[in-house]
Amino acid sequence: MFAPDCLNGRFAGTDSSPGDSTNWDFLQGLEFDAGPDILSLPVSRPHPTSNERLKEKNRKAQQRARQKKKERAQTVETQLAETAQQLHDLKLRQGQLEARNQLLELAAANRRSGLPAFPAQPELQTEARDVSLTILERTGLVLKEQGSVLVLTVHDQQEEVKVEDIHGMSPTHIAKLYTAYVRKQAQCLLDIEADSGNDSPVLTQLCRWTMEVTAILICFGFGHARNLEVLHSLNMADGTLSQEAPPDHANDSLLATLQLTDAQQQDMMHLRRCLYSKVGQLSRERDTIMSTMPAGSQPTHSQPFQLDFKHTADKLAETKEWADALCTNRANESRAFVYAKLCLSRGILTSIQSALTMVHQYPRGADSKVMLEVLARQLEEPSVQRLSEPCEVDYLQHAADWQGVVQYVDSLDAKSLHGHTPLLNASAQLDKAGA
């Protein structure tokens, strides 16, 4: 590191007297390596003492203990609130049961004393069944003069089956009948030629069998309260229940097979709008009926249910009125779905399309509502919930639209069995007649 020419004096091996001043010029040629920055060196910290470590450990333990205590308190408060709500519900239920027992005791006392007991309430299924039979009677399938019998020809001969017997059929029996009709329909579809006219015997027979199996499903569906649910989950191939819903592509394939015209699609969407507007109106009417039942009349444990005989009779009469109104409302809803099914199967769809629907959806039963919803999804129509809600169309317009559907079904005759009978044209003619 020292330059040779900078060395002098004793550093260069020459003598120099002690009194001479040192020459520091040689420092100018020195080179120093840069050492580490002192500011960057780590600062050594004193190690915590055992006392400090103990304090830190205690602090963390106390923090965990406080958190667990808080969580336990929250859990206890939640359980206490749930228990209090359950106790409240049980007390309310106890009061209602006590009131019901007192009312039954008073009714029994009325019967023993000769006063009228509970009035007979109309049966919902009976009224809905009568509505269905009235509609089917116009098709010529149900003969009321012979005791409400359905004329079936699936076994190549006329058989008169009582409607009440269809009501009580087992799901297995219904599945066998349906399968027999679908096989007949499939054979007819193979025999029908593309240029077959409306007077073709095969086409006439196909239409007859389609109407018969539709009537069987309607009669069975309104025979008992659970039958409609059975039809929705019945596998027609083996009579078992709990069948899984078909995939969406199967319903899309059905619509492609039917080859619906633009006029048919418009009629189907008009029917869908009318149906669910009617159903929404009936639902709101049902809510109104329920709202007329005073909640204050329901007794609680703090307000004993004590009525004299006159008050009890009045309450029974009010209960009968509410029950009658609710049953009528439900019967109107059942009537609406029956009219919609017949409107679609007998008027909007041709007889060939109706048979294709049953054959294509087998082993599931033909579901017209599913077909309407699939088409509505493809055409981006409003949802069922949206159609059921109140809208700018007033009550009279809803009533007029639905009355058009009813008169349309009532006007269908033998001439309109095979082809498409326009629904919108019939509704327009009805509007002109009303104007």
Side-chain angles (χ1 to χ4, degrees):
M1 293 179 63
F2 297 101
D5 57 343
C6 294
L7 299 176
N8 54 39
R10 57 189 180 91
F11 295 99
T14 60
D15 296 335
S16 67
S17 60
D20 294 341
S21 60
T22 305
N23 185 0
W24 299 99
D25 293 340
F26 73 94
L27 293 177
Q28 296 178 358
L30 294 178
E31 294 180 2
F32 296 95
D33 293 333
D37 188 2
I38 190 171
L39 297 179
S40 64
L41 294 176
V43 180
S44 60
R45 300 179 183 274
H47 294 286
T49 62
S50 59
N51 190 23
E52 291 176 346
R53 288 196 297 270
L54 180 60
K55 288 182 179 180
E56 179 66 17
K57 182 177 180 180
N58 291 340
R59 186 184 66 80
K60 292 183 179 181
Q62 291 174 1
Q63 184 179 3
R64 290 194 297 269
R66 287 193 297 269
Q67 181 65 25
K68 290 182 179 180
K69 183 178 179 181
K70 183 179 179 180
E71 292 177 355
R72 284 197 299 269
Q74 292 177 349
T75 302
V76 171
E77 290 177 358
T78 302
Q79 293 176 350
L80 180 61
E82 293 177 354
T83 303
Q85 182 62 37
Q86 292 175 359
L87 180 61
H88 174 75
D89 294 342
L90 289 174
K91 288 183 177 180
L92 180 61
R93 180 60 177 165
Q94 179 185 4
Q96 293 174 347
L97 292 175
E98 290 176 354
R100 177 182 175 85
N101 290 338
Q102 291 186 18
L103 184 58
L104 290 173
E105 290 174 0
L106 290 173
N110 285 353
R111 178 175 297 180
R112 289 193 298 269
S113 61
L115 296 177
F118 285 108
Q121 298 181 6
E123 185 183 356
L124 169 63
Q125 294 302 127
T126 300
E127 186 165 351
R129 183 166 59 243
D130 292 342
V131 169
S132 305
L133 293 179
T134 301
I135 297 174
L136 292 175
E137 187 181 11
R138 300 192 186 101
T139 65
L141 295 177
V142 174
L143 306 177
K144 276 194 171 183
E145 63 273 10
Q146 299 183 15
S148 295
V149 298
L150 190 61
V151 181
L152 306 180
T153 60
V154 68
H155 298 303
D156 299 328
Q157 61 181 0
Q158 288 192 353
E159 301 178 16
E160 295 183 356
V161 181
K162 292 183 178 180
V163 173
E164 61 184 15
D165 292 339
I166 298 178
H167 296 161
M169 283 184 179
S170 65
T172 303
H173 195 172
I174 290 294
K176 289 181 179 179
L177 265 178
Y178 190 91
T179 300
Y181 274 104
V182 168
R183 289 173 178 172
K184 293 283 188 180
Q185 290 172 322
Q187 185 61 45
C188 283
L189 291 173
L190 293 176
D191 295 340
I192 290 177
E193 299 178 0
D195 59 348
S196 295
N198 290 343
D199 57 348
S200 169
V202 179
L203 187 59
T204 301
Q205 189 61 65
L206 176 67
C207 181
R208 171 75 187 192
W209 283 331
T210 303
M211 291 172 57
E212 287 181 12
V213 69
T214 301
I216 290 174
L217 296 180
I218 292 176
C219 291
F220 175 77
F222 292 108
H224 298 284
R226 188 173 176 271
N227 285 0
L228 285 176
E229 180 181 352
V230 169
L231 286 178
H232 287 301
S233 59
L234 181 60
N235 186 326
M236 298 299 181
D238 55 14
T240 59
L241 300 179
S242 301
Q243 185 182 20
E244 296 182 357
D248 292 338
H249 65 80
N251 296 318
D252 295 336
S253 174
L254 170 61
L255 291 182
T257 302
L258 295 181
Q259 297 181 351
L260 299 170
T261 65
D262 292 341
Q264 286 179 310
Q265 294 182 17
Q266 293 175 7
D267 282 350
M268 290 172 67
M269 293 299 96
H270 177 70
L271 172 64
R272 180 175 177 268
R273 289 189 291 270
C274 292
L275 171 63
Y276 290 112
S277 296
K278 179 67 174 179
V279 171
Q281 171 199 331
L282 292 172
S283 177
R284 291 188 292 276
E285 290 179 0
R286 192 157 53 245
D287 292 340
T288 301
I289 296 171
M290 297 295 293
S291 66
T292 59
M293 300 179 180
S297 62
Q298 297 182 2
T300 63
H301 64 282
S302 61
Q303 188 177 17
F305 190 73
Q306 296 179 353
L307 300 176
D308 54 18
F309 287 116
K310 182 179 182 303
H311 196 180
T312 301
D314 293 341
K315 284 295 181 183
L316 291 176
E318 292 179 6
T319 302
K320 181 180 183 304
E321 292 178 359
W322 292 327
D324 290 347
L326 288 175
C327 283
T328 301
N329 179 276
R330 289 289 299 179
N332 288 335
E333 187 176 77
S334 300
R335 181 187 292 111
F337 281 106
V338 172
Y339 268 106
K341 186 175 184 64
L342 293 177
C343 177
L344 182 63
S345 62
R346 289 203 55 213
I348 298 178
L349 298 180
T350 66
S351 56
I352 293 179
Q353 288 172 330
S354 295
L356 280 173
T357 300
M358 294 184 180
V359 173
H360 191 281
Q361 291 185 330
Y362 186 84
R364 292 187 63 88
D367 194 340
S368 56
K369 291 189 294 183
V370 171
M371 184 165 55
L372 287 176
E373 293 312 305
V374 173
L375 180 59
R377 174 172 53 81
Q378 293 182 359
L379 299 180
E380 298 182 352
E381 287 284 318
S383 64
V384 172
Q385 181 178 359
R386 178 72 179 276
L387 294 177
S388 302
E389 295 174 350
C391 60
E392 62 274 7
V393 180
D394 59 12
Y395 173 82
L396 294 178
Q397 184 61 48
H398 278 312
D401 291 341
W402 182 250
Q403 186 61 26
V405 174
V406 173
Q407 293 192 7
Y408 171 84
V409 174
D410 293 343
S411 66
L412 297 175
D413 53 18
K415 298 179 181 179
S416 58
L417 291 179
H418 304 304
H420 166 225
T421 303
L423 172 60
L424 286 175
N425 290 351
S427 299
Q429 294 176 1
L430 178 63
D431 294 339
K432 292 180 180 179

